Amino acid sequence: MDGEELTEQETQLYDRQIRVWGADAQRRLSKAHVLVCGIKGAVAEFCKNIVLAGIGSLTLVDNRLVTEEALSANFLLPPDEGVFAGKTVAELCCDSLKDFNPMVRVSVDRGELSSFDEEFLKTFDVIVVSCCSLAEKKSVNEKCRNLPKRISFYTVDCRDSCGEIFVDLQHYTYAKEAISVPWKTHPRRVSKLFYALRVIEKFEEAEGRNPGETTISDLPGVLKLKKELCESQSLNEAHIPNALLERLVTNSKEFPPVCAIIGGILGQEVIKAISGKGDPLKNFFYFDAVDGKGVIEDISSKP
């Protein structure tokens, strides 16, 4: 597959991109296979970006039915109930994405993320996971690392006006489980979003909640867990402002403008990983619309 050249049709369609990053990079993109699990606003933006860029194939997994919340941020979903009735989120997004670039093979898999084994995962070059539990993210990441083939693994989440991207490219010197690195060994200045999202993530896991299933009524429990985690991890509680936790649990829905930013950054990172053009971020990216800042955090075990 690495030896295949771009077709004349691909060369004409992607002419402007080829002028920017070269024919070899575009060839790599056109032969790459991407798996996306969980499609909300930020992931919809990402899918649109890589389809337009000319990825080889995109497989979508999201068996949820359309809800009002899903419609608020995912522009790939048609607003007409007569169109989406009975179809899953993945099926509807697939229909929309095919219109963006007919040369990209977009398909749907009706399986569940937790059931995907290494044989299935090894057919992809890039795996992007969202809308799932911490345990599921860890499980898929570990399966990818057990394979002899290098698979670029990403997770992405948006809550309110904040967004997070995690990257594991394996052949770089990234931590095997960056989120497992003891907090007391972190660099002095780590994004408060990193800690706040870990607290909420652990709260949801402990309560058996799906991602985003927190409300303001959960704040006392979240604050109690924050205190416990800070004590066990020897971290000053000031690193996780109560006001930030309150904002994240009060409105866990995605903010469309932030989805566009996070989806754009994620698309750029995946293109860099596939094409070999440009240095990838290591290994977390955070954005908060309140201050308008994007921050890269290197959370890794030091040798």
Side-chain angles (χ1 to χ4, degrees):
M1 179 170 280
D2 286 343
E4 294 180 15
E5 298 298 326
L6 293 170
T7 66
E8 182 178 350
Q9 187 178 7
E10 287 174 324
T11 302
Q12 292 177 350
L13 180 61
Y14 304 125
D15 176 66
R16 291 186 179 183
Q17 294 169 193
I18 292 172
R19 293 170 188 264
V20 173
W21 53 51
D24 185 59
Q26 187 63 49
R27 180 183 60 80
R28 290 172 183 266
L29 282 172
S30 69
K31 309 307 175 190
H33 305 293
V34 179
L35 173 67
V36 167
C37 301
I39 312 167
K40 294 176 75 174
V43 175
E45 293 281 354
F46 161 74
C47 290
K48 175 257 295 179
N49 292 336
I50 62 167
V51 165
L52 289 175
I55 207 74
S57 72
L58 175 62
T59 302
L60 307 176
V61 178
D62 195 324
N63 296 324
R64 297 174 301 150
L65 297 178
V66 177
T67 62
E68 184 177 342
E69 179 184 350
L71 289 170
S72 67
N74 188 339
F75 71 94
L76 294 175
L77 298 175
D80 183 1
E81 186 173 352
V83 175
F84 65 69
K87 286 191 173 184
T88 66
V89 169
E91 289 169 337
L92 290 164
C93 291
C94 179
D95 292 340
S96 297
L97 287 167
K98 286 179 178 178
D99 292 335
F100 281 95
N101 188 347
M103 293 192 67
V104 175
R105 300 183 301 280
V106 185
S107 62
V108 173
D109 191 291
R110 295 298 297 268
E112 295 290 341
L113 178 60
S114 58
S115 69
F116 293 151
D117 58 18
E118 293 175 8
E119 282 297 309
F120 176 75
L121 297 177
K122 75 179 184 181
T123 61
F124 299 97
D125 303 292
V126 174
I127 295 176
V128 176
V129 173
S130 185
C131 312
C132 67
S133 68
L134 173 61
E136 287 179 308
K137 293 174 183 176
K138 285 183 174 180
S139 174
V140 176
N141 194 12
E142 193 65 29
K143 288 175 183 177
C144 291
R145 283 188 157 270
N146 288 336
L147 292 168
K149 171 185 177 180
R150 181 182 70 83
I151 297 176
S152 300
F153 176 82
Y154 302 80
T155 70
V156 56
D157 285 295
C158 284
R159 294 172 186 257
D160 188 56
S161 57
C162 306
E164 174 189 63
I165 298 171
F166 168 69
V167 181
D168 183 357
L169 300 185
Q170 298 185 38
H171 69 311
Y172 289 86
T173 55
Y174 290 8
K176 182 175 182 180
E177 289 290 356
I179 56 176
S180 300
V181 177
W183 291 0
K184 62 183 178 182
T185 67
H186 287 177
R188 266 190 162 183
R189 294 183 178 180
V190 171
S191 169
K192 292 178 172 60
L193 270 174
F194 172 86
Y195 296 118
L197 289 171
R198 299 292 76 76
V199 171
I200 294 175
E201 201 170 47
K202 288 181 179 295
F203 177 83
E204 290 174 340
E205 186 176 43
E207 295 292 318
R209 309 276 186 86
N210 291 320
E213 288 185 353
T214 51
T215 65
I216 189 61
S217 64
D218 294 312
L219 185 59
V222 171
L223 295 179
K224 179 175 181 293
L225 179 59
K226 163 200 160 178
K227 183 177 180 64
E228 294 171 354
L229 288 172
C230 286
E231 288 177 355
S232 66
Q233 294 276 0
S234 302
L235 182 74
N236 190 317
E237 289 187 39
H239 282 80
I240 318 176
N242 289 352
L244 176 57
L245 288 171
E246 181 176 358
R247 177 155 66 95
L248 292 173
V249 301
T250 300
N251 186 10
S252 59
K253 294 182 180 179
E254 295 177 302
F255 186 42
V258 173
C259 291
I261 293 171
I262 293 296
I265 296 293
L266 180 58
Q268 176 181 300
E269 289 303 312
V270 167
I271 289 172
K272 284 194 288 186
I274 296 172
S275 67
K277 297 288 186 178
D279 295 325
L281 66 83
K282 175 186 178 182
N283 46 10
F284 286 90
F285 174 82
Y286 293 95
F287 178 79
D288 190 343
V290 169
D291 58 18
K293 293 181 180 178
V295 179
I296 297 173
E297 292 290 0
D298 174 6
I299 310 293
S300 57
S301 300
K302 303 299 180 184

